[in-house]
């Protein structure tokens, strides 16, 4: 090989190297935010509160409010603003709320956000989580969750919407999900499960480590009677028992997602308030999921 060829080959290798080893980034030049996984496919990302931090928060599309651990609320001297009733899966608790000057995730920032203050469960505290970032914040943006690259993209404009193709899945209304008109309802889509005749309305939930059906007439029966109950919890003080259901093939638009594991609340549906939703679908079953709150659609991609 001549010296010229060696130099040419070296120059070509130097040109290709950045492309081959470049760090994954968001489409349309949207600022990229890399997250770390929690339990299962949960998303943990750094959040700034009143320009302090960052603090690790669970990013939860299935929760409307933003919850900050009461210890962090006290440390930041956030002004308390009264009490609120916080309703979750199998729980109904009273919590305080406070006002922040600003909350920021990556390039996305919201000023004057009202937050709920509550003690974070040990299962979340073990992950060094200081709060839960919910839909009241997230719904101000278009949101892309790239599970393959552990990447989170927030866009306050239409850049992501213009860049991303794919079949649009319409977001359904969730009547009765909140009495507060200022709260955006969680994203809900219509799916077909292989074990059921009727279509199901499931919330797209990035805070859930596993998909869940609320139970009731026409839904799959629990697994074998010898199955051990599963135990889980949310932000509050209550622990709940779950039971495994037979795995389901989930049909969303033209895509089929096979053998998706579901659980159900062992105690039944009597204390679950979730509008017309039949359950929730963890976003971890998708390679990528794009949620446009403003245009009311989602785009899902299989692994």
């Amino acid at each position: 090989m001549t010296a010229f060829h060696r130099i040419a080959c070296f120059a070509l290798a130097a040109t290709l190297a950045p492309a081959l080893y470049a760090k994954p980034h968001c489409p349309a030049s949207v600022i990229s935010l890399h997250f770390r996984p929690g339990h299962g496919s949960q998303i943990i990302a750094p959040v700034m509160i009143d320009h302090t931090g960052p603090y690790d928060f669970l990013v939860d599309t299935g929760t409307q409010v933003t919850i900050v651990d009461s210890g962090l609320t006290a440390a930041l001297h956030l002004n308390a603003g009264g009490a609120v009733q916080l309703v979750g899966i199998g729980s109904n608790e009273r919590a305080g709320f406070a006002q922040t000057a600003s909350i920021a995730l990556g390039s996305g920032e919201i000023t004057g956000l009202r937050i709920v203050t509550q003690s974070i469960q040990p299962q979340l505290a073990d992950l060094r989580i200081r709060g839960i970032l919910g839909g009241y914040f997230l719904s101000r943006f278009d949101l892309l969750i790239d599970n393959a690259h552990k990447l989170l993209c927030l866009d306050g404009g239409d850049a992501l919407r213009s860049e991303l193709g794919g079949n649009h899945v319409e977001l359904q209304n969730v009547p009765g999900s909140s009495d507060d008109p200022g709260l955006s309802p969680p994203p809900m889509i219509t799916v077909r499960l292989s074990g059921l005749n009727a279509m199901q309305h499931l919330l797209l939930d990035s805070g859930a480590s596993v998909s869940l059906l609320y139970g009731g007439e026409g839904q799959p029966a629990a697994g074998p009677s010898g199955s051990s109950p599963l135990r889980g919890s949310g932000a509050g003080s209550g622990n709940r028992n779950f039971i495994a259901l037979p795995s389901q093939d989930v049909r969303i638009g033209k895509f089929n997602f096979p053998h998706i594991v579901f659980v159900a609340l062992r105690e039944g549906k009597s204390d679950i308030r979730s509008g017309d939703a039949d359950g929730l679908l963890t976003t971890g079953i998708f390679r990528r999921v794009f949620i446009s709150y403003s245009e009311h659609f989602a785009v899902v991609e299989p692994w």
Side-chain angles (χ1 to χ4, degrees), residues 23-255:
K23 197 172 185 179
H25 60 275
C26 291
S29 300
V30 171
I31 292 179
S32 302
L33 182 66
H34 291 266
F35 64 82
R36 66 180 177 92
H39 296 305
S41 56
Q42 290 176 329
I43 295 170
I44 302 173
V47 169
M48 302 290 291
I49 302 178
D50 293 354
H51 306 289
T52 67
Y55 309 102
D56 281 346
F57 270 55
L58 182 71
V59 178
D60 190 353
T61 57
T63 295
Q64 290 178 282
V65 297
T66 289
I67 301 172
V68 179
D69 179 68
S70 52
L72 180 57
T73 304
L76 294 176
H77 305 291
L78 298 180
N79 293 326
V84 65
Q85 204 70 20
L86 194 63
V87 180
I89 297 174
S91 66
N92 193 327
E93 302 174 83
R94 197 162 180 80
F97 67 85
Q99 195 80 24
T100 63
S102 70
I103 289 186
L105 174 66
S107 60
E109 183 176 10
I110 300 296
T111 58
L113 187 70
R114 189 174 68 170
I115 56 97
V116 172
T117 174
Q118 188 181 39
S119 295
I120 298 296
Q121 268 289 326
Q123 290 89 337
L124 296 181
D126 287 348
L127 296 171
R128 305 189 304 280
I129 291 175
R130 305 303 304 275
I132 299 174
L133 196 65
Y136 193 40
F137 177 93
L138 299 172
S139 63
R140 316 295 180 90
F141 308 93
D142 280 349
L143 174 66
L144 174 64
I145 300 170
D146 185 341
N147 288 306
H149 298 108
K150 304 291 189 294
L151 195 64
L152 204 59
C153 312
L154 274 77
D155 179 22
D158 61 359
L160 282 177
R161 238 176 295 150
S162 302
E163 181 81 8
L164 294 173
N167 291 335
H168 290 191
V169 179
E170 183 181 0
L171 297 182
Q172 306 296 317
N173 292 324
V174 189
S177 61
S178 175
D179 297 325
D180 187 341
L183 292 178
S184 176
M188 182 173 73
I189 62 173
T190 302
V191 310
R192 183 175 292 280
L193 303 184
S194 57
L196 300 175
N197 293 323
M199 301 294 284
Q200 301 292 301
H201 297 91
L202 302 182
L203 304 178
L204 290 173
D205 196 328
S206 62
S209 57
V210 67
S211 299
L212 180 141
L213 293 176
Y214 294 145
E217 185 177 353
Q219 292 203 346
S225 58
S227 298
S228 298
L230 309 172
R231 198 159 181 80
S233 63
S237 58
N239 287 307
R240 275 80 73 190
N241 290 320
F242 298 88
I243 192 74
L245 299 174
S247 64
Q248 300 286 314
D249 293 347
V250 179
R251 185 80 181 181
I252 304 174
K254 70 174 186 177
F255 293 122

